[in-house]
């Protein structure tokens, strides 16, 4: 058990291998061995061990629960559900088994069964049980009922103030049409936890989804005040400012490209600005051509390179670049873009 607690399942298995042969039916040894095998990713071996554990301890809810977990690792869903059911028959208040069963049924799109099991679990547990509230919110979200998830998540956030609950609350508010409330909750969190830069990026993304570009730009500027070399903020801010303040945008784009070591996304942002200006077309063309050749699977970089080549009058080069793209990797929008560009090159 100590080795498992320390995250050393393989050492635990090796130690148990010296003991187990002399005690083949010992429930404690079978239990620990099975847990160690699960922790080590040895699902098939764990199944055999835990099937024997259930055989020698058929009235143990924990034996059935561990076996259910093992069946899950080898994608034996039917047997997993059978063992979860067996666990709950022996221990109707086994919360872990009930939660696993609800999640599994929902993931397999057996929504009526999942809802029935959810109702049974709620009836057996206190109304304010955080695990049950979280599961009910997760189920509502998965079933595209974000409005039903909102009050549950508000309760969780108000009681425990956990980051993941708050993230889910913001998403549920947004997806249920309560977009101002979503922004308000996210903004309050960012202000109270200025060190949580991931939340700041999420806030900027919500602003972008709501087509509030100025507000998104403000968030990125705040991030850059803390981390001036943050490539994502630099690149996104450049893209947001390219129409209203092209000089500032170009400065941000150049810095993003430099800080990233010439990554395709930053190269695309910078090149799009450079090739729009006849005075910097050559510079943009040379830069994006090099990036597209270094990263031939970076579709946006190749598309931008083809655009630059076309503007340079290098139509054969542009056509070759477009023809070399694997169409199966393209989104519908990219397929349409390629088709339009090829048509314009005729």
């Amino acid at each position: 058990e100590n080795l498992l607690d320390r995250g050393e399942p393989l050492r635990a298995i090796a130690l148990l291998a010296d003991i187990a042969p002399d005690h083949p039916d010992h429930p404690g040894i079978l239990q620990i061995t099975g847990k160690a095998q699960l922790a080590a990713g040895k699902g098939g071996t764990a199944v055999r061990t835990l099937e024997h554990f259930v055989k020698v301890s058929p009235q143990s809810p924990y034996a059935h629960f561990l076996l259910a977990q093992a069946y899950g690792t080898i994608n034996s869903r039917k047997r997993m559900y059978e063992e979860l059911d067996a666990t709950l028959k022996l221990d109707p208040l086994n919360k872990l088994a009930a939660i696993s069963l609800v999640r599994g049924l929902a993931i397999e799109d057996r929504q009526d069964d999942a809802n029935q099991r959810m109702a049974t679990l709620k009836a057996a547990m206190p109304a304010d049980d955080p695990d049950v509230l979280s599961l009910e919110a997760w189920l509502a979200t998965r079933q595209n009922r974000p409005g039903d998830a909102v009050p549950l998540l508000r309760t969780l956030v108000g009681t425990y103030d956990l980051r993941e609950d708050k993230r889910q609350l913001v998403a549920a508010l947004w997806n249920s049409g309560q977009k101002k409330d979503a922004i308000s909750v996210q903004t309050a969190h960012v202000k109270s936890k200025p060190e949580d830069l991931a939340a700041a990026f999420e806030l900027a993304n919500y602003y972008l989804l709501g087509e509030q570009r100025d507000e998104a730009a403000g968030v990125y500027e705040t991030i850059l005040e803390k981390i001036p070399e943050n490539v994502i903020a630099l690149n996104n801010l450049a893209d947001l400012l390219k129409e209203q303040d092209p000089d500032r945008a170009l400065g941000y784009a150049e810095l993003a490209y430099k800080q990233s070591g010439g990554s395709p996304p930053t190269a695309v942002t910078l090149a799009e600005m450079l090739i729009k200006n006849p005075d910097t077309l050559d510079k943009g063309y040379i830069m994006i051509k090099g990036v597209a050749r270094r990263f031939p699977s970076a579709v946006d970089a190749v598309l931008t390179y083809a655009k630059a080549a076309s503007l340079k009058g290098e139509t054969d080069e542009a056509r070759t670049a477009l023809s070399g793209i694997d169409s199966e990797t393209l989104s519908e929008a990219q397929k349409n873009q390629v088709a339009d560009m090829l048509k314009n090159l005729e």
Side-chain angles (χ1 to χ4, degrees):
E1 287 280 4
N2 287 335
L3 289 172
L4 285 181
D5 292 339
R6 299 207 308 257
E8 300 181 67
L10 293 176
R11 285 189 62 195
I13 291 170
L15 181 62
L16 289 162
D18 294 332
I19 305 170
D22 295 329
H23 308 278
D25 297 328
H26 192 288
I29 293 175
L30 290 169
Q31 174 183 312
I32 297 172
T33 302
K35 286 175 64 177
Q37 290 164 342
L38 282 173
K42 298 178 180 293
T45 306
V47 164
R48 293 190 291 274
T49 299
L50 293 167
E51 282 178 339
H52 192 53
F53 181 25
V54 166
K55 183 177 179 180
V56 301
S57 302
Q59 297 303 308
S60 167
Y62 193 48
H64 289 280
F65 180 65
L66 286 176
L67 181 54
Q69 288 185 305
Y71 281 138
T73 65
I74 63 170
N75 205 31
S76 182
R77 312 295 292 181
K78 182 175 183 294
R79 289 186 175 182
M80 181 185 78
Y81 294 135
E82 289 172 352
E83 292 304 319
L84 289 172
D85 272 330
T87 303
L88 291 167
K89 285 177 182 176
L90 292 166
D91 180 11
L93 298 181
N94 190 306
K95 189 165 61 174
L96 287 177
I99 289 173
S100 297
L101 190 53
V102 171
R103 285 184 177 273
L105 292 169
I107 289 170
E108 291 201 348
D109 204 25
R110 295 169 57 182
Q111 304 305 336
D112 289 342
D113 291 337
N115 290 335
Q116 183 178 358
R117 292 288 186 170
M118 185 73 244
T120 300
L121 177 60
K122 284 179 63 179
M125 296 292 167
D128 60 350
D129 185 290
D131 295 324
V132 177
L133 287 170
S134 181
L135 177 66
E136 190 176 7
W138 174 87
L139 184 61
T141 300
R142 186 168 185 88
Q143 294 176 342
N144 197 27
R145 297 183 287 110
D148 292 341
V150 166
L152 300 165
L153 291 165
R154 282 196 187 278
T155 298
L156 285 167
V157 169
T159 305
Y160 302 100
D161 196 32
L162 297 178
R163 179 71 189 97
E164 184 55 34
D165 291 336
K166 199 172 292 184
R167 182 180 288 111
Q168 292 181 32
L169 172 59
V170 172
L173 286 166
W174 186 272
N175 292 328
S176 61
Q178 303 174 67
K179 296 183 178 181
K180 288 185 178 179
D181 286 346
I183 291 288
S184 178
V185 172
Q186 190 72 8
T187 300
H189 175 77
V190 170
K191 288 181 177 178
S192 67
K193 305 285 186 183
E195 72 281 1
D196 189 351
L197 292 182
F201 276 108
E202 289 168 7
L203 176 58
N205 287 338
Y206 279 114
Y207 277 133
L208 290 174
L209 287 171
E211 298 184 357
Q212 295 175 263
R213 295 172 64 85
D214 290 345
E215 288 80 359
V219 174
Y220 288 130
E221 287 172 343
T222 299
I223 292 171
L224 290 173
E225 289 173 4
K226 298 182 177 72
I227 309 178
E229 70 279 7
N230 187 282
V231 170
I232 296 174
L234 287 167
N235 196 54
N236 289 356
L237 186 55
D239 187 60
L240 287 169
L241 295 177
K242 64 186 179 184
E243 299 298 334
Q244 66 189 65
D245 195 343
D247 289 340
R248 276 183 69 204
L250 183 60
Y252 285 128
E254 288 175 335
L255 185 54
Y257 180 72
K258 178 181 177 181
Q259 291 290 344
S260 73
S263 70
T266 62
V268 168
T269 301
L270 178 56
E272 289 284 359
M273 296 182 199
L274 293 173
I275 65 177
K276 286 176 66 175
N277 185 339
D279 294 336
T280 56
L281 172 58
D282 285 348
K283 180 180 178 181
Y285 163 74
I286 293 169
M287 183 266 291
I288 196 63
K289 179 178 182 178
V291 172
R293 289 187 172 179
R294 287 201 309 274
F295 302 98
S297 62
V299 174
D300 286 338
V302 177
L303 289 173
T304 305
Y305 161 46
K307 186 188 299 184
S310 176
L311 290 171
K312 286 272 293 176
E314 302 289 349
T315 54
D316 288 343
E317 188 177 335
R319 193 177 294 109
T320 299
L322 293 171
S323 300
I325 298 174
D326 182 358
S327 61
E328 292 188 3
T329 66
L330 300 179
S331 65
E332 284 303 313
Q334 289 172 329
K335 288 179 182 178
N336 293 334
Q337 186 178 356
V338 169
D340 290 342
M341 291 177 72
L342 287 170
K343 184 175 181 180
N344 290 333
L345 291 170
E346 292 176 355

